[in-house]
Amino acid sequence: MENAVRDWRGRSYLPGPVPADRKRMFWLSWAAMAAISPLQYGYAALLAQKELTLLAVWIACQAAGALPALHLVRRGRLSVRASLALGAALSGLGLVAAALTVAAPPAEGAAAALAGGAPGSVSLAALTGYGLLGGLGAGLVYGVCGEVVSSWFPERPAARVGLITGAFGYGAVPLLLWAGIAPGATQAAFITAAAVAVAVIGAAARHLRLPPALWWPGDVDPRTHALDAARLRVTPEAAKQFLLAQALRTRTLPALALILTCAGAVSVFDVIVVAGTGTWGAVALMVALNGASRSVAMRCSELFGRRRVLAAVLGALAVGQVLLAAGGAHVGGSPAQATVSAGLLWLGAIAAGLGGGAFYPLLASLVREFFGTERAGEIHAVIYSAKALAGVGAVALAMAALTAPGAALLTAATLAALPALAAPRLRIPGLPATIPL
C-alpha cells in the first residue's frame, strides 16, 4: 500500500493528517454514550423493582446488538450515520416505553414485582419498546461510538474508549437526582431523557465517521510508538494479530467473558440493592463513580498494568458487597446501629461504584493486549455479549435478595472475588508457557 509503513512486528500503518474535527467526534461520542445511560442505570435504580424482567431483556438485547452492528459497519454494509440514526430512534423509543412503565399499575407484592409482576403483567409494549428495541438501539450506539473513537485515536485507544464508556456510567446521574428529589416527576424525567437522547445521538450521527483503513495520526511516528520500551513493559502487545475464529479457540477469551459475566451481574445488582434502600444520594454517588472510575482505572493500568488494576477493581467490587451486607445487618436497631448501618451503606456504595464499571474498559484494553488491534472490535463484541448472561445473574441475585439479602450480597462478593484472584494469572495467547507472566 502506497505510503504505508511497518513496525517491528510487521503491522502496517497509513500515516495521514489529523482531521480538525477529531476532538469534536470524541465529544459527540461521549455525549451519545451519556444519553443512553438512563436506559440501563436509570431503569435499574428507578424501575427495576417494578419490572425486573424487562431489565434482563434490555441487557441481553443491548449486549447482543453490538456485534452485528460492528460487523456491518466494519464491512461497509451499514454506515455510521445510518446506524446511529437508527440507534437514536430506538433509544428514544425505549426511554418513552420506560416512562410508560412508570404509570403502569404495580404488581401485587414485592416478590411479584421483582419477578416481573404477576403473570401477564409485563405488557407487550414495554417488552418490545424498552426491552427489545431500546436494548438494540443502545447496543448500536455503544458499539459504533466505541469503534469510531478507537479508530480515530489508535495511539491511545484504551484511554479514549475508557472515557466515553465512563459517560455511559454517570450519564444517568441527572435523571436519578431529578427522580430522587421529585419522585412524582419520574415519568417526565424519562420522557425528557428520551428527547435528549434523540437530539444528542442524532447530532452524533451527522458528524461521526470512520477513518480510512490502517489510518494513523501523522504527528506520531508509529514505529517509535511500537518500540516504546516503557509502554511495552507495562502493557505488552499481542504475540500476533488474531482473527476472531482464532481467538475463539483460546482459553483466554472465555476467561475474559466469564469475568465480565460475574462482574457485570454484581454491578447491576448493586444499583437495584442500593436503590431499594431509598438513599438516592448513595445511588447517584455509586452511579457517578461507576462511570468516573473507568477513566481513572485506565490511567492506572498504563502505570501498573492492566491485569493488576483489573484485580484491584474486582477486589473493590467484592469489598463493596461485604460492606453493603454488613450495613443491612444493623437495619432496625438502635439509633447508634442505624448510624453505623447508614455509614456502611455509603462506604459500600463507594466501593461498589469504584469497582462496578471500571472492569469494562479494562477488559476491552486486555482484548487489544491479548489478541491485537486489527480485530479487537469484533473480538471484544463477542466478549461483551456475555453481558446478556450478566443480566440474568443480576435478576437472580435481586430475587434472592428478597428473602435473604445478606446471603445474596455475600454470593455477589464471591462472584467478584474469584475473578479478582484469577485476573493476575491471565496470559497473553500465543506465548510459550515458560515465559513468566
Side-chain angles (χ1 to χ4, degrees):
M1 183 179 294
E2 187 179 358
N3 298 326
V5 298
R6 291 180 179 271
D7 63 16
W8 64 284
R9 287 183 178 270
R11 183 185 172 194
S12 297
Y13 305 84
L14 189 62
V18 178
D21 62 343
R22 185 168 76 148
K23 287 186 177 180
R24 182 172 64 173
M25 287 194 287
F26 168 80
W27 286 112
L28 284 171
S29 299
W30 176 90
M33 293 287 253
I36 61 173
S37 177
L39 280 162
Q40 175 167 308
Y41 294 103
Y43 188 96
L46 299 171
L47 301 176
Q49 296 198 28
K50 186 174 186 177
E51 294 291 0
L52 188 55
T53 303
L54 290 180
L55 179 62
V57 173
W58 183 92
I59 291 175
C61 292
Q62 187 259 341
L67 180 59
L70 280 178
H71 182 82
L72 294 173
V73 169
R74 274 177 160 264
R75 282 156 179 76
R77 298 175 184 175
L78 183 67
S79 68
V80 170
R81 173 172 292 188
S83 59
L84 287 179
L86 180 59
L90 294 179
S91 298
L93 180 61
L95 286 165
V96 170
L100 297 178
T101 304
V102 177
E108 295 181 1
L114 279 175
S121 66
V122 178
S123 70
L124 180 61
L127 184 63
T128 304
Y130 171 76
L132 177 61
L133 300 180
L136 291 175
L140 277 170
V141 175
Y142 192 100
V144 172
C145 287
E147 180 70 8
V148 168
V149 169
S150 64
S151 298
W152 279 114
F153 294 88
E155 71 278 24
R156 290 193 68 193
R160 291 290 179 167
V161 173
L163 286 170
I164 67 166
T165 59
F168 179 63
Y170 52 68
V173 170
L175 176 77
L176 297 178
L177 292 176
W178 182 355
I181 295 171
T186 300
Q187 186 176 34
F190 272 102
I191 292 175
T192 302
V196 170
V198 171
V200 169
I201 303 170
R206 292 184 58 190
H207 298 284
L208 297 188
R209 63 188 186 278
L210 289 175
L214 305 180
W215 180 84
W216 184 268
D219 56 355
V220 178
D221 184 359
R223 289 166 292 192
T224 302
H225 179 81
L227 284 170
D228 187 348
R231 179 181 64 84
L232 292 173
R233 276 196 300 270
V234 179
T235 57
E237 293 187 352
K240 66 175 185 177
Q241 298 294 319
F242 282 76
L243 299 175
L244 177 57
Q246 294 172 325
L248 288 170
R249 290 195 292 268
T250 68
R251 296 181 180 180
T252 305
L253 189 147
L256 294 176
L258 182 60
I259 290 174
L260 189 145
T261 300
C262 294
V266 176
S267 177
V268 176
F269 168 64
D270 285 340
V271 177
I272 299 171
V273 167
V274 178
T277 66
T279 311
W280 292 106
V283 179
L285 177 62
M286 182 172 65
V287 172
L289 291 174
N290 182 296
S293 64
R294 303 185 191 208
S295 57
V296 175
M298 293 310 302
R299 177 57 182 157
C300 291
S301 72
E302 293 175 351
L303 299 174
F304 307 109
R306 317 280 193 210
R307 286 167 283 190
R308 289 194 184 103
V309 176
L310 177 60
V313 163
L314 295 172
L317 185 61
V319 169
Q321 312 313 301
V322 176
L323 290 171
L324 291 173
H330 295 87
V331 173
S334 64
Q337 289 177 322
T339 302
V340 171
S341 176
L344 290 171
L345 170 66
W346 280 85
L347 289 175
I350 291 171
L354 291 172
F359 62 88
Y360 283 114
L362 286 170
L363 289 173
S365 62
L366 281 173
V367 168
R368 294 182 174 86
E369 187 174 305
F370 289 161
F371 302 111
T373 58
E374 290 183 4
R375 303 288 180 177
E378 293 180 4
I379 296 171
H380 176 247
V382 171
I383 294 171
Y384 189 77
S385 65
K387 187 180 175 183
L389 296 177
V392 176
V395 169
L397 287 171
M399 292 180 66
L402 289 173
T403 54
L409 284 164
L410 293 178
T411 300
T414 303
L415 287 176
L418 292 178
L421 297 174
R425 307 298 300 173
L426 292 170
R427 181 178 293 277
I428 296 177
L431 293 181
T434 54
I435 294 180
L437 291 174

